[in-house]
């Protein structure tokens, strides 16, 4: 089968497009003919170093995906051949204390597609049956693929961790990326007021069109002062951060007393000044979050269908154009998800 895979680390030259073996399907697993995947920041990280992530080379890239069921165990009570599905991107052991309490994303042996396991930039993949959800009939494969990482991450951040309420205000940093856009869509559907930041005026205007209540141009405004001004000096209830070090201080200074900072990434660095006095005097809460559980993905999908929330797909590339797709993601200029279309290949 055709796939985009890593042959090493250190730049685009280590990403190859070529033939890889068809994945073997174990009992309880389903083989899916993939039709779309989307790019995530971790794809760049895996290409450039992959440090700290246990993996092997060659490694098929890609975390999320959607396609059509090709092969599964006979008598499956839920799934059937030819069914359109989207993928949950993690595989848990099902036996550790975290899995047993239903928080499989904290599994001690958790594996993520495209990291510890072969991923979705391929014509076929084999995953546990519980990792598949029916793809809504009016959604594209790219939209379905996009739900599994960015929207799931934003859902856990806002709903599970921060427990955002309809009367609250959330500040979202770096609007335009997949997680930030998902956060905007979900927060607005929950009824919250949303303030967004960006250094690009065009992204801010597009965010307004998607429902942002207030925008802050980080290239010329002090974010914390602007956030306080937009809330009448009170501060925001929730700061939503997938940027890290460069916005940490702004996030803490923007929060109301007792507010919550929820973060899922550190693309700008992971060693900010702690500002401990502000944390304990204002009794702020800092909540870490990564991806989400299978149950949360089911909740998210139902929520999206009920509220008409659909991922924003900015640009689509063919699998053979994976280098151009990675370059677009690396530029930071995108507004929405970058998708790969995959033809699914011949029947095995």
């Amino acid at each position: 089968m055709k796939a985009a895979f890593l042959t090493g680390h250190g730049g685009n030259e280590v990403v190859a497009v070529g033939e890889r073996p068809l994945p073997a399907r174990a009992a309880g697993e389903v083989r899916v003919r993939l039709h779309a995947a989307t790019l995530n920041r971790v794809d760049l990280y895996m290409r450039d170093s992959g440090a700290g992530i246990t993996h092997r080379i060659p490694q098929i890239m890609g975390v999320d995906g959607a396609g059509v069921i090709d092969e599964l165990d006979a008598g499956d009570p839920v799934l059937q051949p030819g069914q359109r599905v989207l993928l949950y991107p993690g595989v848990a052991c099902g036996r550790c204390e975290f899995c047993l309490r239903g928080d499989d994303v904290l599994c001690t042996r958790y594996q993520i597609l495209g990291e510890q396991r072969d991923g979705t930039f391929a014509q076929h993949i084999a995953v546990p049956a519980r990792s598949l959800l029916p793809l809504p009939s009016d959604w594209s494969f790219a939209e379905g693929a996009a739900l599994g990482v960015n929207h799931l991450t934003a859902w856990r951040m806002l709903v599970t961790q921060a427990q955002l309420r309809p009367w609250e205000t959330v500040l979202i940093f770096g609007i335009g990326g997949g997680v930030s856009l998902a956060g905007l869509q979900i927060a607005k559907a929950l009824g919250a007021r949303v303030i967004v930041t960006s250094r690009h005026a065009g992204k801010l205007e597009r965010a307004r069109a998607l429902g942002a209540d207030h925008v802050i141009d980080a290239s010329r405004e002090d974010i914390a002062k602007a956030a306080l001004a937009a809330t009448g000096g009170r501060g925001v209830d929730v700061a939503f951060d997938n940027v890290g070090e460069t916005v940490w201080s702004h996030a803490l200074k923007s929060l109301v007393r007792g507010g919550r900072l929820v973060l899922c990434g550190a693309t700008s660095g992971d060693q900010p000044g702690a500002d401990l006095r502000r944390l304990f005097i204002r009794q702020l809460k800092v909540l870490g979050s990564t991806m989400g559980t299978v149950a949360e993905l089911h909740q998210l999908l139902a929520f999206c269908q009920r509220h008409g929330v659909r991922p924003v797909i900015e640009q689509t590339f063919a699998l053979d154009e994976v280098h151009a797709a990675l370059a677009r993601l690396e530029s930071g200029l995108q507004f929405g998800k970058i998708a790969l279309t995959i033809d699914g290949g011949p029947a095995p």
Side-chain angles (χ1 to χ4, degrees), residues 63 88-90 105 110 112 148-149 152-153 156 289-293 296:
V63 184
Y88 173 71
V105 74
Y110 197 69
I112 299 175
V149 174
L152 179 58
T153 298
R156 185 173 176 89
S289 194
T290 299
M291 292 181 48
T293 67
E296 286 170 328

Side-chain angles (χ1 to χ4, degrees), residues 30 32 34 65-69 76 78-80 82-90 104 113 127-137 139-141 143-149 151-152 155 292-305:
V30 177
V32 177
L34 291 161
V68 174
I69 291 178
D76 188 288
V78 176
L79 304 171
Q80 57 187 357
Q83 184 175 358
R84 289 161 37 98
V85 290
L86 63 93
L87 276 62
Y88 173 71
D104 40 275
L113 306 182
V127 294
R130 70 188 297 267
S131 295
L132 300 178
L133 283 72
L135 178 65
S137 60
W139 281 36
S140 70
F141 287 111
E143 289 173 324
L147 203 71
V149 174
H151 278 70
L152 179 58
W155 177 264
T293 67
V294 174
E296 286 170 328
L297 185 55
H298 280 275
Q299 295 163 7
L300 168 63
L301 180 58
F303 178 88
C304 288
Q305 291 182 277

Side-chain angles (χ1 to χ4, degrees), residues 321-333:
E321 300 173 311
V322 65
H323 296 100
L326 289 166
R328 178 62 180 173
L329 178 63
E330 193 169 29
S331 75
L333 299 176

